[in-house]
């Protein structure tokens, strides 16, 4: 596939027949590539998810996409917004392909009717010289090919045989717009309106949640806000806690 529409959006797209991890490939090549370069494959054999999870799918049925961002002059705290920025971009992009509700789950999952269609993993480059934004999108997986019972694909969600170039171009377009606005505002999530946009799209807010924290502790409460650093604010019996990282489950009671 030539990815003609996608190549009109960003300066470089490298398509790999197969890759263990597109994020690893991008990290190795980042020094020689410009801002908003892309590495992708539809056959990723050893992809990583958050919290050390493995992300693998049958060849030709999902896209693994890594985008290189090299922002200049942003404060360190601004980098915490990139997973949310990417998740918002993907949720906006995918909403044009399915008749069902596309949701953003803090910090970086994209859901369709509560089932995961895309996960995002952002990794910092040495010296905070940039960030690699990796995403995996389930395109045409059948029900018996899904990695978990809570996963879905665009095809299963009503998309008519999703075209890889169309999906990629939509995502890169949304990502580029949000990235340019954010960097033009100096990484200020308020001035760029990113914080308000993420809060409006984030279906975690207002829900009862269970958060498994990196140290193993569990926080139960209600997600009430996203603070200026992109952290999820959870209100519990102990008060309000700002969560920078954790495995969030939406509770139904």
């Amino acid at each position: 596939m030539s990815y003609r529409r996608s190549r009109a959006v960003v300066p470089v797209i490298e398509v790999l027949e197969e890759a263990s991890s597109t994020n690893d490939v991008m990290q190795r090549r980042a020094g020689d590539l410009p801002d908003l370069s892309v590495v992708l494959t539809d056959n990723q054999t050893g992809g990583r998810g958050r919290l050390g999870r493995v992300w693998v799918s049958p060849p030709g049925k999902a896209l693994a996409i890594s985008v290189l961002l090299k922002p200049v002059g942003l404060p360190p705290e601004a980098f915490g917004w990139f997973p949310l920025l990417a998740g918002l971009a993907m949720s906006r992009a995918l909403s044009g392909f399915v008749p069902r509700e596309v949701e953003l789950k803090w910090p970086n999952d994209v859901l369709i009717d509560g089932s995961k269609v895309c996960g995002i993993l952002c990794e910092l480059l040495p010296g905070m010289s940039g960030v690699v934004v990796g995403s995996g999108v389930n395109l045409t997986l059948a029900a018996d090919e899904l990695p978990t019972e809570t996963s879905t694909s665009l095809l299963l969600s009503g998309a008519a045989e999703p075209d890889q170039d169309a999906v990629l171009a939509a995502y890169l377009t949304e990502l580029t717009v949000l990235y340019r606005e954010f960097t033009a505002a100096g990484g200020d999530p308020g001035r760029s309106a990113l914080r308000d946009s993420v809060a409006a799209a984030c279906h975690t807010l207002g829900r009862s949640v269970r958060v498994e924290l990196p140290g193993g502790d569990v926080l139960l409460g209600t997600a009430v806000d996203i603070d200026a650093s992109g952290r999820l604010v959870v209100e519990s019996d102990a008060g309000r806690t700002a969560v920078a990282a954790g495995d969030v489950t939406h509770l139904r009671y």
Side-chain angles (χ1 to χ4, degrees):
M1 182 176 293
S2 65
Y3 294 95
R4 178 182 56 83
R5 282 173 287 186
S6 300
R7 292 184 189 278
V9 182
V10 294
V12 174
I13 292 182
E14 183 171 356
V15 183
L16 307 176
E17 290 187 8
E18 178 183 308
S20 173
S21 164
T22 56
N23 267 24
D24 287 349
V25 173
M26 181 62 86
Q27 288 186 46
R28 290 195 299 268
R29 301 180 184 177
D32 300 321
L33 293 173
D35 194 25
L36 287 166
S37 293
V38 177
V39 170
L40 72 109
T41 186
D42 64 2
N43 186 15
Q44 181 168 253
T45 59
R48 297 186 302 279
R50 291 180 60 249
L51 306 177
R53 298 189 179 100
V54 176
W55 188 83
V56 180
S57 62
K61 298 197 170 186
L63 271 184
I65 309 159
S66 292
V67 183
L68 175 64
L69 303 181
K70 289 183 170 180
V72 176
L74 295 191
E77 58 269 22
F79 282 75
W81 280 95
F82 284 121
L84 292 162
L85 186 153
L88 178 62
M90 186 65 78
S91 66
R92 287 179 172 179
L94 298 186
S95 66
F97 294 91
V98 294
R100 302 179 182 182
E101 186 174 21
V102 181
E103 308 167 352
L104 175 61
K105 176 187 173 188
W106 186 94
N108 51 6
D109 285 345
V110 180
L111 313 179
I112 299 177
D113 286 349
S115 295
K116 182 175 176 178
V117 71
C118 172
I120 292 167
L121 177 66
C122 291
E123 297 182 300
L124 282 174
L125 295 175
M128 299 188 73
S129 58
V131 60
V132 176
V133 179
S135 57
V137 188
N138 294 332
L139 298 177
T140 59
L141 277 76
D144 61 354
E145 296 172 318
L146 295 171
T148 70
E149 293 181 355
T150 56
S151 300
T152 190
S153 68
L154 290 180
L155 186 65
L156 290 172
S157 301
E161 198 62 35
D163 175 84
Q164 290 188 11
D165 189 23
V167 172
L168 179 62
Y171 168 56
L172 295 178
T173 298
E174 296 287 354
L175 181 70
T176 299
V177 169
L178 290 169
Y179 175 59
R180 296 297 190 206
E181 291 174 347
F182 186 56
T183 54
D188 186 326
R191 191 153 55 91
S192 66
L194 180 61
R195 182 180 179 183
D196 288 345
S197 296
V198 167
C202 184
H203 284 237
T204 303
L205 294 184
R207 287 180 177 266
S208 296
V209 295
R210 179 185 187 274
V211 185
E212 186 174 343
L213 301 172
D217 291 338
V218 172
L219 176 64
L220 293 172
T222 301
V224 295
D225 197 8
I226 296 173
D227 72 10
S229 297
R231 298 177 299 178
L232 183 69
V233 180
V234 177
E235 187 166 19
S236 67
D237 292 342
R240 292 195 171 196
T241 303
V243 178
D247 195 11
V248 176
T249 300
H250 291 174
L251 302 179
R252 298 187 181 278
Y253 57 78

